[in-house]
Amino acid sequence: SSPLTEADLAQCSSALTAEQVLASLSVRQAEGAKPFQFLSRQGRGVQGLIRPGTLPAIVLSGGQHANEPSGVVGALRGASWLASQPAAHFALIPLENPDGYDLCRQYCEIHPQHMHHAARYTGLGDDLEYREKAPWYEREARMHAVEKTQAQLHLSLHGYPAHEWTRPFTGYLPRGFELWSIPKGFFLIVRYQKAWREKAEAWLELITLEMSKIPGLAEFNRKQLEIYASHAGSVPFEVRHGIPCLVTQNDQQTMGVKLVTEFPDETIYGEAFRFAQEVQTQSVKIAAQAWWSLNSE
């Protein structure tokens, strides 16, 4: 597959194929970036790169949940911007779960309007984020990126259902999924180690203020939050500058701060998808610039 230019990616209106992702990753190996690869449970390559620099390091990833495609495009485009910053030090893993991604592609050929929750998971049937012991398979790529960069920030780009996918009060919901049954706009989850709490709070204030200025996002979130409240009766999370946020301490994570972006991107195509991946891309730029400003004194 031919690599996609930045202009191609900016106009991307549906999920990339795995071949397009890997071809586009190879282009980003210029300018001193070092490629790496680990194998998934089913033997597919989990490819990434590390570009050394003098600014505080960042790990950027997409496709942990393989039916959340806007973050894959956002990771590639965000990495292009990072690569254009001469001092940026970053690792990129644009597609962490290639086994699930292939399954999602097969499912979408049958029913493109279904969210295909089964394809969220890896070839082991788990979420690689929570794999606790060897064999590590896909998770090795992330572990390698963290070890080699010594990054204290992980930007993990995600999505979630773009429409109500099961009625919240019928009892048919997987444990912990109540919050995700109805869209609520572009949503952020910040997890931090205890020692990083103040830095994480200051950083979140900076990035939500800037993200609220992304063209079209404030109105998109306003409408979605109104719909959410009409279904659920209240909004059980913090909203900063029009951006819903969940902020929690997590001393088990390996890095000081983790940002999970959540755009309601499952089952969307065309202009709606282009908007989703544009928001993901701009979020990488905003998060990186704010991180450097707070940590480069």
Side-chain angles (χ1 to χ4, degrees):
S1 182
S2 299
L4 298 174
T5 66
E6 173 57 26
D8 293 332
L9 288 170
Q11 295 304 316
C12 181
S13 58
S14 62
L16 298 173
T17 67
E19 292 75 21
Q20 287 174 318
V21 176
L22 298 182
S24 299
L25 177 65
S26 68
V27 172
R28 287 153 180 81
Q29 290 175 11
E31 302 177 15
K34 300 172 183 175
F36 61 84
Q37 174 174 287
F38 295 88
L39 295 181
S40 71
R41 172 64 180 83
Q42 295 176 349
R44 295 182 177 86
V46 184
Q47 297 187 21
L49 59 83
I50 294 173
R51 209 289 293 276
T54 56
L55 284 168
I58 295 169
V59 172
L60 171 61
S61 64
Q64 173 187 319
H65 300 145
N67 63 334
E68 301 170 3
S70 68
V72 176
V73 185
L76 286 169
R77 293 186 62 202
S80 290
W81 179 84
L82 289 170
S84 73
Q85 311 303 302
H89 182 195
F90 68 94
L92 167 67
I93 313 167
L95 180 51
E96 290 195 292
N97 178 9
D99 294 347
Y101 206 72
D102 185 70
L103 182 63
C104 193
R105 178 191 57 78
Q106 295 179 48
Y107 283 168
C108 284
E109 288 177 359
I110 300 167
H111 198 328
Q113 300 302 329
H114 193 283
M115 58 174 260
H116 302 306
H117 197 70
R120 164 190 178 93
Y121 299 106
T122 70
L124 274 176
D126 69 347
D127 187 326
L128 65 91
E129 170 90 5
Y130 302 106
R131 193 170 298 161
E132 296 178 344
K133 61 183 180 180
W136 296 106
Y137 296 118
E138 299 86 355
R139 190 172 168 84
E140 278 194 275
R142 187 186 294 186
M143 294 163 67
H144 175 81
V146 174
E147 178 188 358
K148 294 301 182 184
T149 61
Q150 292 296 297
Q152 290 295 340
L153 176 64
H154 180 196
L155 304 178
S156 185
L157 310 187
H158 287 247
Y160 69 103
H163 53 82
E164 181 184 306
W165 61 276
T166 185
R167 294 191 179 278
F169 306 113
T170 59
Y172 177 66
L173 271 177
R175 186 178 63 183
F177 277 73
E178 297 83 2
L179 191 61
W180 306 104
S181 60
I182 306 171
K184 52 197 170 293
F186 179 63
F187 192 92
L188 302 180
I189 301 172
V190 174
R191 302 185 184 117
Y192 59 84
Q193 293 176 346
K194 183 177 181 180
W196 287 81
R197 183 181 68 81
E198 289 186 11
K199 187 79 63 132
E201 286 284 352
W203 178 68
L204 180 61
E205 178 64 20
L206 286 176
I207 66 173
T208 51
L209 178 60
E210 290 305 310
M211 288 176 184
S212 69
K213 302 172 187 175
I214 296 173
L217 184 58
E219 180 64 10
F220 176 81
N221 270 13
R222 185 189 65 76
K223 289 180 178 178
Q224 292 235 328
L225 286 168
E226 280 183 4
I227 295 169
Y228 184 95
S230 71
H231 282 275
S234 63
V235 178
F237 36 75
E238 183 181 5
V239 179
R240 295 198 188 192
H241 305 294
I243 310 290
C245 304
L246 278 179
V247 185
T248 58
Q249 182 174 317
N250 179 9
D251 292 328
Q252 280 68 54
Q253 66 188 29
T254 55
M255 285 184 278
V257 179
K258 176 169 185 164
L259 175 70
V260 177
T261 65
E262 298 278 2
F263 195 101
D265 68 348
E266 295 171 20
T267 69
I268 63 173
Y269 300 92
E271 183 59 27
F273 185 91
R274 195 207 62 76
F275 178 64
Q277 56 98 347
E278 174 68 18
V279 170
Q280 299 272 28
T281 302
Q282 295 303 321
S283 297
V284 173
K285 299 179 184 180
I286 290 166
Q289 288 174 313
W291 188 252
W292 295 332
S293 73
L294 286 175
N295 292 282
S296 298
E297 296 89 353

